[in-house]
């Protein structure tokens, strides 16, 4: 019988550090780091700053060199390296809004049956702690990297990455690296990402009939809205709306309720949140609300009726843009992904915030050109907010093959292939950086959803994968 091959000491060390890793992750998850109102010394809000300083303090505790770039980002360095190159590990500490419907408090970090629950456990605090402990284990075991290893801490990845742009004006980008903020085995392509508003000015309502005073829904462009509300006024009472709610609920089985609110009537719809890159995994509450409004008697504002008709005709419940003739596709990345992230209708305007993932072979202008003819007749305008170019690495590139081999060694999974995703990571912000984990094939995907969680055994396994990646790429580089 052959002797079992002993794993490297730094992997054994990660097993020894299991409880410390859990405790440090719990402390990080318990910080509500949703971007909030900017303060003088906290440009992304106090919670984001608290999470940032928490990680810097962990780095200082372990003897790493830590740098804070004006509270807009920073890094934790492992070693100085005998070579000129730097390996980056690009993480982010902000999280999307918690949403509703959780079975556990979203910032409690409860552990039940070896699973920790909380916003950020999967995206991106859990993977960040795993990567940090990969560096710590190697350092504790006495390894000195030939290439500097730099964990870069981003603070507003979920809301535009302004902090990373600022950081890169002050610090040199790493020569290559990984982003622990996506999927295993690895991501060799990311679709383009657009955010834009579809807007329409409203005229004054006529007297009588239904007045649509307000519609709101959604928390962020890159989330599927899990709730939407409409406020309606009528001089003639609300029996017709109550009746329509009952019929709509019975015919669709959607979660919709109504109640009087002062002199108005409030309609509330509930959906299921999901990542904006995978809207089919959720149920968009804005879709439900607009379908409901389309079935009511007409409102006393012509422009409101036009907008509702536009939505019902050209968007409906679709997630690939087919109603707007922008359902682009290619063999590399598949179909365009169309997510309605937020809605805001008031007495002056309607505004629909849309998040689109564009196939790698196309660009933003291809999408705008196809949308334009479908909105002109409704007097709807486009306000362009953001566009990130796609990225793509051929599968046979050395960095791709090295990371793929490490994943397969630790998981025994030789069937899963490198992915092209609709999600966006910090890999877009600099060259030679690849998203590498930490979502495993077949595991529940709960990023941006209620009950986000991480299995503790997966957390430890991920730390080992990242430790091997750092070892192969920076400590004893073969590339």
């Amino acid at each position: 019988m052959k002797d079992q091959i002993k794993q490297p000491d730094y992997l054994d060390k990660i097993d020894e550090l299991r409880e410390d890793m859990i405790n440090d992750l719990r402390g990080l998850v318990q910080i509500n780091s949703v971007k909030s109102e900017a303060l003088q010394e906290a440009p992304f809000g106090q919670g984001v700053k608290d999470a940032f300083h928490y990680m810097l303090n962990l780095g200082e505790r372990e003897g790493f060199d830590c740098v804070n770039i004006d509270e807009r980002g920073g890094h934790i360095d492992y070693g100085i390296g005998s070579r000129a190159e730097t390996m980056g590990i690009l993480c982010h500490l902000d999280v999307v809004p918690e949403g509703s419907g959780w079975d556990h408090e979203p910032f409690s970090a409860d552990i039940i049956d070896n699973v920790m629950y909380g916003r950020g456990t999967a995206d991106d605090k859990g993977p960040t702690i795993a990567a940090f402990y990969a560096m710590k284990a190697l350092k504790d075991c006495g390894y000195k990297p030939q290439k500097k290893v730099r964990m870069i801490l981003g603070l507003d990845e979920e809301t535009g990455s302004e902090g990373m742009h600022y950081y890169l004006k002050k610090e040199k980008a790493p020569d290559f690296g990984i982003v622990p903020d996506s999927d295993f085995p690895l991501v060799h392509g990311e679709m383009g990402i657009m955010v834009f508003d579809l807007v329409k000015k409203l005229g004054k309502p006529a007297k009588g009939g239904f007045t649509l005073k307000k519609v709101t829904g959604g928390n962020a462009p890159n989330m599927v809205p899990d709730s939407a509300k409409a406020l309606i006024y009528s001089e003639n009472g609300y029996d017709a709306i109550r009746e329509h709610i009952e019929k709509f609920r019975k015919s669709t089985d959607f979660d919709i309720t109504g109640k009087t609110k002062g002199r108005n009537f409030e309609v509330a719809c509930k959906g299921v949140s999901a990542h904006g890159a995978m809207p089919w995994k959720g149920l968009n509450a804005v879709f439900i609300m607009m379908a409901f409004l389309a079935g009511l008697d007409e409102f006393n504002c012509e422009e409101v009726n036009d907008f509702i008709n536009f939505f019902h005709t050209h968007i409906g419940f679709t997630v690939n843009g087919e109603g707007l003739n922008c359902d682009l596709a290619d063999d590399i990345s598949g179909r365009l992904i169309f997510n309605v992230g937020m809605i805001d209708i008031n007495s002056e305007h309607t505004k629909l915030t849309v998040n689109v993932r564009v196939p790698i072979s196309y660009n933003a202008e291809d999408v705008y050109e196809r949308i334009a003819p479908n909105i002109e007749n409704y007097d709807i305008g486009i306000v362009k907010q953001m566009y990130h170019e796609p990225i793509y690495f051929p599968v046979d590139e050395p960095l791709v093959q090295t990371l793929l081999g490490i994943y397969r060694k630790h998981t025994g999974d030789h069937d899963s292939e490198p992915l092209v995703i609709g999600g966006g990571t910090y890999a877009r912000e600099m060259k030679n950086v690849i998203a590498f984990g930490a979502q495993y094939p077949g595991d529940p995907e709960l990023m941006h959803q209620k009950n986000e969680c991480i299995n503790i055994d997966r957390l430890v396994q991920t730390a080992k994968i990242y430790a091997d990646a750092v070892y192969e790429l920076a400590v004893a580089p073969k590339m």
Side-chain angles (χ1 to χ4, degrees):
M1 182 176 178
K2 293 183 179 180
D3 293 335
Q4 185 175 2
I5 298 175
K6 188 178 186 301
Q7 67 178 1
D9 55 352
Y10 56 83
L11 300 183
D12 290 329
K13 188 67 176 178
I14 288 172
D15 287 323
E16 296 174 16
L17 294 169
R18 178 187 179 100
E19 291 304 315
D20 292 340
M21 197 185 322
I22 293 169
N23 290 332
D24 284 341
L25 177 56
R26 179 185 285 117
L28 184 57
V29 171
Q30 288 173 341
I31 300 170
N32 180 342
S33 56
V34 176
K35 183 180 178 181
S36 59
E37 181 182 358
L39 305 173
Q40 185 174 0
E41 298 298 327
F44 307 117
Q46 188 62 47
V48 174
K49 178 180 178 178
D50 290 345
F52 180 39
H53 282 255
Y54 181 94
M55 281 304 303
L56 293 177
N57 290 337
L58 290 187
E60 291 172 355
R61 182 192 75 188
E62 300 303 330
F64 293 117
D65 294 324
C66 301
V67 173
N68 179 343
I69 305 296
D70 302 331
E71 303 294 351
R72 286 174 168 78
H75 59 250
I76 299 171
D77 279 351
Y78 166 34
I80 57 175
S82 58
R83 299 187 183 184
E85 301 104 317
T86 295
M87 174 185 178
I89 304 175
L90 283 62
C91 308
H92 71 88
L93 300 175
D94 60 313
V95 297
V96 296
E98 56 271 34
S100 59
W102 287 68
D103 296 323
H104 312 272
E105 290 298 319
F107 298 105
S108 65
D110 290 341
I111 298 177
I112 299 172
D113 295 331
N114 202 43
V115 174
M116 182 185 294
Y117 292 87
R119 178 60 83 219
T121 48
D123 179 19
D124 185 37
K125 295 178 177 180
T128 297
I129 290 294
F132 178 81
Y133 268 81
M135 294 164 53
K136 170 177 166 54
L138 284 158
K139 182 177 182 293
D140 287 356
C141 291
Y143 291 92
K144 295 182 178 180
Q146 295 185 45
K147 302 177 183 179
K148 181 185 290 183
V149 181
R150 171 165 289 180
M151 172 176 279
I152 299 175
L153 302 171
L155 305 184
D156 68 329
E157 191 268 355
E158 299 289 4
T159 55
S161 301
E162 174 193 331
M164 184 60 73
H165 301 157
Y166 184 92
Y167 173 88
L168 290 173
K169 291 178 181 178
K170 301 285 186 176
E171 293 285 335
K172 183 177 180 292
D175 298 283
F176 67 96
I178 62 172
V179 181
D181 186 25
S182 191
D183 295 87
F184 283 129
L186 60 88
V187 173
H188 73 117
E190 297 184 12
M191 300 168 73
I193 300 180
M194 304 167 59
V195 175
F196 58 88
D197 297 328
L198 297 177
V199 297
K200 180 178 176 67
K201 291 184 179 180
L202 301 180
K204 291 185 178 181
K207 293 183 179 181
F210 291 137
T211 302
L212 186 61
K213 302 187 72 175
K214 182 186 293 186
V215 179
T216 58
N219 296 302
N222 60 349
M223 293 178 69
V224 174
D226 62 1
S227 65
K229 291 183 178 180
L231 199 64
I232 302 170
Y233 173 73
S234 171
E235 295 179 351
N236 300 318
Y238 300 109
D239 289 344
I241 298 180
R242 292 188 180 94
E243 182 180 343
H244 182 49
I245 288 174
E246 288 301 315
K247 290 181 179 179
F248 187 80
R249 185 191 297 122
K250 290 178 180 178
S251 63
T252 64
D253 203 32
F254 290 142
D255 188 339
I256 181 169
T257 57
K259 64 180 180 181
T260 54
K261 191 171 183 179
R263 298 180 61 199
N264 302 304
F265 193 86
E266 183 182 78
V267 180
C269 301
K270 289 185 178 180
V272 178
S273 182
H275 197 298
M278 296 171 283
W280 53 87
K281 294 190 175 184
L283 176 60
N284 197 314
V286 173
F287 289 177
I288 298 172
M289 178 62 75
M290 296 304 286
F292 170 80
L293 295 177
L296 269 178
D297 289 338
E298 288 195 346
F299 291 92
N300 58 9
C301 176
E302 182 179 350
E303 291 84 0
V304 166
N305 293 322
D306 285 346
F307 188 80
I308 293 172
N309 182 47
F310 158 76
F311 194 104
H312 182 66
T313 303
H314 293 281
I315 299 178
F317 282 78
T318 61
V319 295
N320 298 110
E322 49 266 53
L324 289 168
N325 194 36
C326 62
D327 185 12
L328 304 170
D330 62 27
D331 292 337
I332 298 172
S333 44
R335 298 173 74 184
L336 176 143
I337 301 166
F338 188 98
N339 180 60
V340 173
M342 296 186 290
I343 192 170
D344 174 26
I345 299 178
N346 56 38
S347 61
E348 297 180 351
H349 70 258
T350 67
K351 182 171 74 172
L352 205 63
T353 301
V354 180
N355 182 206
V356 170
R357 314 295 163 129
V358 186
I360 286 172
S361 301
Y362 297 91
N363 59 43
E365 291 308 314
D366 293 322
V367 178
Y368 289 134
E369 286 176 6
R370 285 162 173 78
I371 290 176
N374 297 282
I375 65 175
E376 289 175 354
N377 292 337
Y378 297 91
D379 199 23
I380 292 173
I382 296 177
V383 179
K384 301 175 183 179
Q385 300 288 356
M386 178 269 283
Y387 175 58
H388 288 163
E389 297 278 354
I391 59 173
Y392 180 70
F393 295 85
V395 176
D396 59 0
E397 285 203 5
L399 181 57
V400 173
Q401 286 299 307
T402 297
L403 296 174
L404 183 60
I406 291 168
Y407 165 80
R408 287 176 173 170
K409 181 182 80 171
H410 280 271
T411 63
D413 175 11
H414 292 269
D415 296 324
S416 299
E417 295 293 337
L419 304 167
V420 173
I421 63 168
T425 74
Y426 277 147
R428 300 172 186 272
E429 304 298 336
M430 55 203 76
K431 296 179 179 180
N432 301 320
V433 176
I434 290 178
F436 185 46
Q439 175 68 41
Y440 289 81
D443 283 5
E445 297 183 22
L446 294 170
M447 289 186 285
H448 293 206
Q449 300 182 47
K450 66 180 182 180
N451 297 326
E452 182 181 348
C453 62
I454 190 168
N455 180 284
I456 301 301
D457 292 338
R458 285 299 204 199
L459 177 69
V460 174
Q461 183 181 28
T462 301
K464 291 181 176 182
I465 289 174
Y466 291 153
D468 258 352
V470 173
Y471 179 83
E472 292 290 335
L473 296 171
V475 175
K478 299 176 182 179
M479 293 177 56

